[in-house]
Amino acid sequence: KVKDLSTQKLVQTEPNRAYTLRSAATQRQRNIRLGFLPVAPSVRIRTANVIKPKNHHVWKLQSLDEARAFFKSSFPQLPKPFADAELEPFVQAAKNPDRIASFPASRYSPIVSKVCTDKKIPCLLLGDAASAFPPDLGQGVNSALEDVLVLGNLINSQSLSQQPLTDAFQKERAPANKALAKIVRCAFPFQYDQAPLRSKIFFVGFLTRLLLSRLLPFLIAPPAALAVLKGEPYVDVWRRAERTTWLFRSIFFSACIVSSFFFLTTKQRLIPPSFFSFVA
């Protein structure tokens, strides 16, 4: 349960829904959010994650007393204080910054299956071994389960020959992993207040794509993040996103060329011919 600060009443959260709890602080270096992920109805304790840059105040708490005071003032919505065991990692992070974890860059392996030539043993890469990326879209587990599902279907449909199985898995999953790694890099990258200006520019583009996709669905693809959350194939999502991006670029450069031509033509009309003769 959390307290609604506007009504001062406790609100019961639903286990199958995700929540974001904003802190009472407004300063950028002290503002923080707790991200609560969905859990099974039988689970009584829900974990929350804290994602902030290394220079944020939360990583500079020197003692348990400082940590208690910070989280208590930040989250008056929570009826119970944080346990010392939950606050201790933040204090340890201030003493040893190397313990602060960070997200890896989005990456993928272009080869996810191969038969070792020496012993003819098939090798397959699944899950994080095939692709790894920040949890911006929450597709890490989904992608791994999809790897397992595809492999299971191929095993059930293929004969005992190993080479066709590895070839089929490579053809099926390598393009999907590549597309997903590229989608994660640009679909929704500014979730953690790490770049305020770039975040605002991104959201302008996000809303523009969303609006135009509803007005011209046959021409403009919706934001890639929304398409992924709807369960559309990664390859199709990335192909449509690239097509829309190239369309926007073409319109932009065409507008620049037309504007430049119009400007030069107008400039020649405004300046009398005698001026060019004088310059010559």
Side-chain angles (χ1 to χ4, degrees):
K1 293 182 179 181
V2 296
K3 182 187 296 183
D4 187 341
L5 297 181
S6 60
T7 61
Q8 297 298 314
K9 295 182 179 180
L10 292 178
V11 178
Q12 179 66 53
T13 59
E14 299 180 16
N16 61 341
R17 296 184 60 182
Y19 294 91
T20 297
L21 194 62
R22 295 181 178 273
S23 67
T26 57
Q27 302 93 335
R28 185 166 181 264
Q29 288 299 321
R30 298 182 68 91
N31 181 271
I32 198 172
R33 292 179 296 180
L34 295 180
F36 294 93
L37 299 177
V39 295
S42 58
V43 177
R44 303 292 298 176
I45 299 177
R46 183 183 295 218
T47 59
N49 57 59
V50 175
I51 303 174
K52 282 295 179 182
K54 287 188 176 181
N55 61 348
H56 193 272
H57 180 71
V58 73
W59 308 120
K60 301 176 182 179
L61 302 173
Q62 298 292 331
S63 66
L64 283 175
D65 290 336
E66 288 186 18
R68 292 191 201 100
F70 173 76
F71 279 96
K72 183 178 180 180
S73 62
S74 297
F75 298 103
Q77 309 97 313
L78 297 176
K80 296 181 180 180
F82 288 86
D84 289 350
E86 297 171 332
L87 300 177
E88 182 64 29
F90 296 97
V91 177
Q92 293 300 323
K95 298 177 181 179
N96 186 6
D98 293 337
R99 294 188 59 180
I100 303 177
S102 59
F103 294 137
S106 180
R107 58 187 184 271
Y108 67 96
S109 172
I111 299 176
V112 296
S113 67
K114 189 176 181 179
V115 175
C116 298
T117 55
D118 54 347
K119 296 183 179 180
K120 302 298 182 181
I121 298 176
C123 300
L124 304 176
L125 299 181
L126 288 81
D128 288 346
S131 59
F133 31 78
D136 297 347
L137 296 179
Q139 295 299 303
V141 175
N142 291 350
S143 176
L145 292 176
E146 195 169 310
D147 288 340
V148 175
L149 178 63
V150 169
L151 178 59
N153 291 337
L154 290 175
I155 292 175
N156 292 333
S157 61
Q158 293 282 336
S159 62
L160 295 180
S161 176
Q162 296 174 349
Q163 191 66 33
L165 174 63
T166 55
D167 290 347
F169 187 79
Q170 172 71 24
K171 182 179 180 181
E172 184 80 16
R173 295 306 299 160
N177 291 334
K178 179 180 179 180
L180 179 56
K182 292 185 175 182
I183 290 171
V184 173
R185 293 172 187 169
C186 60
F188 214 76
F190 301 106
Q191 301 183 43
Y192 316 116
D193 302 327
Q194 70 271 40
L197 178 59
R198 294 174 63 189
S199 177
K200 290 180 175 61
I201 296 174
F202 168 80
F203 276 106
V204 170
F206 184 92
L207 294 176
T208 300
R209 289 198 181 217
L210 179 61
L211 178 61
L212 292 178
S213 66
R214 294 182 176 179
L215 296 176
L216 304 169
F218 57 90
L219 188 62
I220 306 297
L226 300 182
V228 168
L229 295 179
K230 288 182 179 179
E232 298 182 18
Y234 301 133
V235 174
D236 294 346
V237 171
W238 180 245
R239 184 184 297 114
R240 294 173 61 196
E242 275 194 312
R243 184 185 65 188
T244 300
T245 299
W246 280 108
L247 177 61
F248 285 161
R249 289 176 179 174
S250 301
I251 295 174
F252 174 76
F253 287 118
S254 298
C256 290
I257 294 173
V258 172
S259 299
S260 300
F261 178 78
F262 178 78
F263 174 77
L264 294 175
T265 304
T266 305
K267 185 177 180 180
Q268 290 180 357
R269 291 178 180 177
L270 295 177
I271 300 177
S274 57
F275 174 80
F276 294 101
S277 300
F278 174 77
V279 174

